[in-house]
């Protein structure tokens, strides 16, 4: 087995597994396969931020979409901690029936997965960490943001670090030979870890993901009797990726009320299926758009909903630019979050149609970024940045154009490069150099 340097690996694991299987026929071969997979997974970029958080707080909480790798991250980073999943009915019933007794069995702490399934445990964890002043006792994970945030704000405020883990960043994807091709192949393939670690066919994965997780989470958060309108809404939303949310338009096309559309978007945000990019309108003396844009946490899911299954299709599709923009903005978000940074990201558009795709506010500077899927640079790409810079907003840094071409260069102090080729996109955009 050829293993890259950046992965966990036990040199004799394949031999050891074979030996155990021969010596003990009751050895579970499936467990052996999972053991090999666990030790050949890459070290996630967020691992260092997680270790620092556990060294500074008694509890570290990892939020993020299902299948983003929260469980694997926790186990690999803290291999000596016992692990309990609140998705397991037996574990959940035991913990619910006797919370004190359950937690008394983990005096050295534990990993508690999908903790939003049993938020009552958080109050008991609070009592433990207030008495035991050690840091890094508990590692919690969760997939439903509002429910978990509400419980944490009541019980663990000031006692837990909060991190967000999304699917693989482009930097992490490069560990896999199948993902080192051009960017549209990566967009269609998607960034969820299992797609690359287990080489799952993307259409099969996303079909299962929608049925198993998205629809289940929707039913858990709101009363939804008929899934058909919601499934239609998801497809329509994918067709509007990178666009300003128009509740009235979605309502008319879906056949449900605008209030319902707003609730459905809230559920998708809560489950980390989509995220919103807010508009920037501070200190600007002109009419600007004040509604957010919508993006998918994984552009591969948007492509799947649109029926795009190949890189060639994605490169020719009318929504090519929107999908590329979605992928790059999500990657910038991941790059920041993997450092433990909660980024301040915006877009700008005024009533005359002047627009900047992305604004990054970091350390007092506001950096404009234009994102273009074209492989050929055009001078028109920098016009929106120059118009925005002329508005008189304080603290505007030199801008960037992120495009799909090969050659990096500068034009009138605006830096142009291909983000797919960058090892650390957040560092590149915010270093000031």
């Amino acid at each position: 087995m050829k293993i890259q340097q950046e992965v966990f690996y036990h040199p004799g694991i394949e031999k050891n597994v074979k030996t155990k299987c021969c010596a003990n026929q009751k050895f579970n071969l499936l467990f052996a396969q999972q053991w090999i997979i666990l030790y050949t997974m890459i070290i996630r970029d967020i691992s260092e931020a997680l270790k620092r958080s556990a060294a500074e707080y008694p509890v570290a909480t990892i939020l993020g979409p299902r299948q983003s790798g929260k469980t694997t991250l926790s186990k690999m980073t803290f291999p000596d901690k016992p692990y309990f999943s609140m998705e397991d009915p037996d574990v959940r019933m035991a913990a619910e029936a006797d919370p004190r007794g359950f937690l008394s069995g983990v005096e050295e702490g534990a990993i508690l997965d999908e903790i939003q399934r049993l938020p009552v445990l958080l109050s008991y964890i609070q009592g433990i960490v207030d008495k035991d002043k050690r840091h890094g006792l508990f590692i919690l994970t969760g997939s439903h943001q509002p429910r978990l945030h509400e419980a944490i704000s009541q019980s663990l405020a000031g006692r837990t670090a909060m991190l967000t883990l999304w699917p693989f960043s482009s930097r992490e994807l490069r560990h896999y030979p199948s993902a080192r091709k051009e960017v549209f192949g990566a967009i269609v393939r998607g960034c969820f870890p299992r797609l690359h670690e287990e080489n799952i066919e993307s259409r099969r994965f996303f079909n299962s993901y929608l049925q198993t997780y998205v629809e289940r989470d929707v039913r858990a958060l709101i009363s939804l009797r008929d899934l058909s309108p919601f499934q239609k809404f998801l497809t329509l939303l994918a067709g509007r990726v990178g666009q300003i949310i128009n509740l009235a338009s979605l309502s008319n096309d879906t056949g449900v009320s605008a209030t319902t559309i707003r609730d459905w978007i809230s559920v998708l945000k809560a489950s980390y299926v989509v995220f919103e990019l807010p508009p920037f309108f501070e200190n600007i003396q002109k009419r600007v758009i004040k509604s957010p844009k919508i993006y998918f946490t994984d552009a591969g899911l948007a492509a799947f909903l649109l029926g795009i299954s190949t890189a060639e299709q994605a490169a020719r599709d009318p929504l090519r630019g929107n999908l590329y923009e979605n992928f790059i903005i999500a990657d910038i978000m991941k790059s920041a979050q993997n450092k433990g940074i909660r980024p301040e990201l915006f877009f700008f558009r005024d009533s005359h149609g002047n627009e900047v795709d992305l604004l990054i506010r970091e350390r007092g500077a506001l950096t404009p970024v234009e994102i273009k899927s074209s492989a050929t640079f055009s001078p028109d790409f920098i016009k929106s940045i120059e118009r925005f810079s002329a508005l008189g907003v304080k603290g505007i840094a030199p801008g960037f154009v992120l495009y799909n071409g090969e050659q990096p260069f500068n034009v009138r102090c605006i830096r142009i490069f291909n983000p797919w080729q960058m090892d650390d996109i957040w560092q590149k955009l915010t270093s000031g150099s």
Side-chain angles (χ1 to χ4, degrees):
M1 181 186 297
K2 185 178 180 181
I3 302 298
Q4 298 178 29
Q5 186 177 0
E6 296 85 359
V7 303
F8 280 102
Y9 178 57
H10 186 293
I13 190 163
E14 288 178 302
K15 179 180 178 181
N16 291 343
V17 167
K18 291 177 182 178
T19 302
K20 288 182 179 180
C21 287
C22 294
N24 184 357
Q25 294 301 318
K26 294 182 179 180
F27 184 83
N28 190 323
L29 183 59
L30 177 60
F31 177 79
Q33 293 169 339
Q34 291 174 341
W35 182 256
I36 292 173
I37 290 171
L38 175 62
Y39 275 81
T40 57
M41 288 180 180
I42 66 167
I43 301 174
R44 299 297 298 270
D45 286 348
I46 202 173
S47 297
E48 287 303 314
L50 177 56
K51 291 176 184 177
R52 290 196 304 269
S53 297
E56 296 170 353
Y57 289 85
V59 181
T61 302
I62 310 166
L63 304 177
R66 294 184 183 273
Q67 295 285 306
S68 62
K70 300 184 297 297
T71 301
T72 302
L73 170 69
S74 303
K75 288 181 175 180
M76 290 177 69
T77 309
F78 305 98
D80 296 329
K81 285 190 179 295
Y83 168 82
F84 301 93
S85 173
M86 295 304 118
E87 293 280 10
D88 187 318
D90 293 335
V91 172
R92 189 170 65 251
M93 287 175 62
E96 189 172 22
D98 185 9
R100 292 186 190 279
F102 175 78
L103 292 173
S104 68
V106 289
E107 293 182 355
E108 299 301 315
I111 300 169
L112 302 180
D113 207 359
E114 299 294 353
I115 191 66
Q116 82 281 343
R117 297 279 288 169
L118 195 61
V120 68
L121 276 184
L122 297 176
S123 297
Y124 294 92
I125 291 173
Q126 174 191 349
I128 292 173
V129 299
D130 284 349
K131 292 179 182 178
D132 189 330
K133 302 301 181 180
R134 286 178 295 171
H135 290 165
L137 274 178
F138 291 96
I139 309 300
L140 312 179
T141 81
S143 302
H144 290 168
Q145 187 177 12
R147 186 179 299 177
L148 192 54
H149 270 181
E150 181 181 354
I152 287 173
S153 64
Q154 293 175 356
S155 303
L156 295 181
R159 300 170 179 86
T160 183
M162 304 286 289
L163 298 171
T164 304
L165 179 69
W166 280 18
F168 283 151
S169 64
S170 60
R171 171 188 165 101
E172 292 169 324
L173 281 176
R174 293 190 193 100
H175 290 285
Y176 298 91
S178 61
R180 294 177 190 166
K181 300 175 183 178
E182 51 83 36
V183 67
F184 286 104
I187 290 172
V188 172
R189 180 73 168 152
C191 299
F192 283 96
R194 284 190 64 209
L195 283 165
H196 303 275
E197 288 161 356
E198 301 177 32
N199 199 28
I200 300 174
E201 200 273 326
S202 58
R203 284 185 293 182
R204 183 164 57 251
F205 173 85
F206 284 118
N207 184 62
S208 174
Y209 187 81
L210 282 173
Q211 295 180 3
T212 306
Y213 297 113
V214 176
E215 293 172 2
R216 186 183 72 169
D217 287 348
V218 168
R219 290 184 184 275
L221 291 175
I222 60 175
S223 177
L224 190 64
R225 295 180 180 178
D226 184 5
L227 271 174
S228 297
F230 180 78
Q231 291 167 338
K232 181 179 181 182
F233 156 76
L234 271 178
T235 302
L236 291 170
L237 199 63
R240 289 164 169 79
V241 66
Q243 299 180 20
I244 292 170
I245 298 173
N246 188 323
L247 297 177
S249 174
L250 283 167
S251 172
N252 291 334
D253 292 344
T254 309
V256 299
S257 69
T259 300
T260 298
I261 295 295
R262 184 183 292 109
D263 291 343
W264 287 354
I265 291 176
S266 296
V267 168
L268 293 179
K269 288 168 55 183
S271 300
Y272 294 93
V273 175
V274 302
F275 67 98
E276 291 179 348
L277 188 66
F280 180 86
F281 50 82
E282 300 174 16
N283 305 317
I284 294 179
Q285 303 299 320
K286 60 192 302 183
R287 295 183 63 186
V288 295
I289 302 299
K290 296 186 178 182
S291 298
K293 285 185 177 183
I294 195 78
Y295 295 93
F296 278 70
T297 302
D298 192 276
L301 178 57
F304 169 79
L305 289 166
L306 293 170
I308 299 172
S309 58
T310 67
E312 292 73 22
Q313 276 183 280
R316 296 193 308 266
D317 195 88
L319 289 175
R320 161 198 171 109
N322 301 66
L323 289 170
Y324 183 81
E325 182 179 312
N326 190 149
F327 182 86
I328 299 303
I329 290 178
D331 200 49
I332 293 169
M333 184 84 76
K334 296 171 193 175
S335 183
Q337 290 172 339
N338 287 343
K339 300 177 187 298
I341 297 170
R342 185 173 297 178
E344 292 187 79
L345 305 181
F346 311 89
F347 78 95
F348 171 79
R349 181 185 293 179
D350 64 22
S351 57
H352 300 292
N354 299 317
E355 180 175 4
V356 177
D357 293 328
L358 183 68
L359 297 172
I360 302 173
R361 183 156 57 191
E362 176 72 3
R363 295 191 292 269
L366 192 66
T367 303
V369 180
E370 274 293 287
I371 302 170
K372 303 295 182 181
S373 64
S374 173
T376 304
F377 175 77
S378 166
D380 290 341
F381 292 174
I382 67 174
K383 288 183 178 179
S384 60
I385 294 177
E386 292 180 328
R387 283 194 293 263
F388 180 78
S389 299
L391 292 177
V393 179
K394 293 183 179 179
I396 298 181
F400 294 87
V401 172
L402 309 183
Y403 82 131
N404 199 30
E406 295 295 324
Q407 186 65 37
F409 52 93
N410 292 357
V411 176
R412 296 198 288 272
C413 296
I414 296 174
R415 286 157 286 183
I416 295 97
F417 64 88
N418 187 333
W420 181 243
Q421 299 173 348
M422 290 296 109
D423 188 55
D424 191 336
I425 185 64
W426 178 257
Q427 178 69 19
K428 178 71 174 180
L429 295 175
T430 60
S431 64
S433 60

